[in-house]
Amino acid sequence: MQPWGVLRSAVPEARQPTATVATGLRDRLIALGVDAGLAAVGVASAELFAHTRDDLVGRRKRGLNGAMQFTYRNPERSTDPRRILPGATSLVVGAWSYRRSEPEPEPEPGQVRFLPTRPAGRVARYARRDHYESLRLALEPIAVHLRGLGWRATVVCDDNALVDRAAAHRAGLGWFGKNSLILLPGLGSWFVLGTVVTDAPLPAVDPTERAPHGGRCGSCSRCLTSCPTGALVAPGVLDARRCLAWLVQAPGPFPEEYRRALGGWIYGCDECQQVCPVNRLADRRDPPPAGEPDSHAAVDLLDLLDASDDALLAAHGRWYIPGRDPRYLRRNALVALGNVGDGGDPATVAALRRWLHVDDPMLVEHAAWAAGQLGRSDLVGER
Ligand code: B12
């Protein structure tokens, strides 16, 4: 027998590994994840997520998913890990930190104050590089170890096949914040989450260590009141139809009533995480590591509006863009430009002129909106 695990072939039919062996394997898997850079690793049973299924179905009925599909498309599937791996018994769930210091001081929620002379679009922290890839790579040694012992193991993260937060919660990684994010005790929410689904029987973490929904947010509800569009309609309940993080990914025109609220964001939105005292305290106690020099925290809006389709997809194709159609990046950039640009700046005026005269009614309308915001309605209708 391997020192840290039990070979599947060594297990007689219908016999499970002893509790001690299974605990040893579980602890070994957790250690492998931590060695690979995961900030936290937990283990849970792979049984159905019945409550989550009810929540998905209930929220879809209320229209709270808007046009989003993802895990909502097929709740029967996304809440049953055995659809990913028949015979699955356990989940090993990991959290990968993307907490980094900001290249520029973060503006206060609702405030936009980019100092550079050229207007800048903001990118949410999780999207500045491919943290999902790093997470997958960190989960892989766990899967490899299990496979080496003859068990089956599949890595899933940010996949429509599993509701990652429900898995993380069951595995005891943290609690559901009122902003609906999973917060790790003392560390906050700047984490992406992923899971190894396996048929190895592993003892779950002690259920008494699991935090209840909202338990550790206490009476704080800063995220609810700070959301620029009021998208958090109740603690832990998000109305995607108003969530800026969804609206920048959604097809069609950007809803006019939320354009001002978008500020400078062009992809993602971090407002409900930035205001969270748990995140702030964690940053004070343990200042985040430096951001990568090529972190793309800010994108030059005029460059973006000038770039070809190919260049945009090469730079940002990793993002979720409806139909991989770069016009949605331009749509977001025009709204952001209307919020953070300067109507007296010749380069901004040139960009507006260009997009006011393209053969794309949606972009023309967004350019006209931006021109109006910048006091340059005179540009609309110019020939
Ligand atoms: C669809 C989706 C979105 C949608 C909708 C988000 C949503 N809240 O549902 C949009 C595009 C808006 C989005 C935005 C973001 N997302 Co997203 N998204 C997903 C995705 C694909 C599915 C989420 C899902 O199934 N939601 C369905 C609902 C039912 O689940 P829920 O919101 O978690 O609801 C739970 C709570 O309400 C809780 N609950 C129930 N009752 C109660 C009562 C109380 C009082 C409380 C507190 C909680 C509570 O139980 C519910 C589940 O049963 C997952 C990846 C995945 N495959 O799981 C990533 C995921 C959730 N997203 C993630 C991230 C990072 C983000 C953003 C921060 C990105 C950004 N900066 O722009 C924002 C955050 C916005 C927010 N406040 O949620 C991470 C979250 C990591 C974490 N620490 O929690 C995930 C897990 C991706 C990943 N693999 O890491 N996302």
Side-chain angles (χ1 to χ4, degrees), residues 9 60 94 117 122 126 167 239 258 263 335 340 357:
S9 53
R60 202 169 57 181
T117 46
R122 300 173 71 192
Y126 85 110
D239 184 343
Y258 303 127
V335 177
V340 304
H357 295 104

Side-chain angles (χ1 to χ4, degrees), residues 55 59 71 158-159 162 164-165 179-180 182 193 236 269-270:
D55 280 340
R59 290 181 194 186
T71 47
D158 206 42
D159 189 299
L162 186 67
D164 296 323
R165 291 202 273 231
N179 58 7
S180 91
I182 290 286
L193 306 167
C269 170
D270 282 335

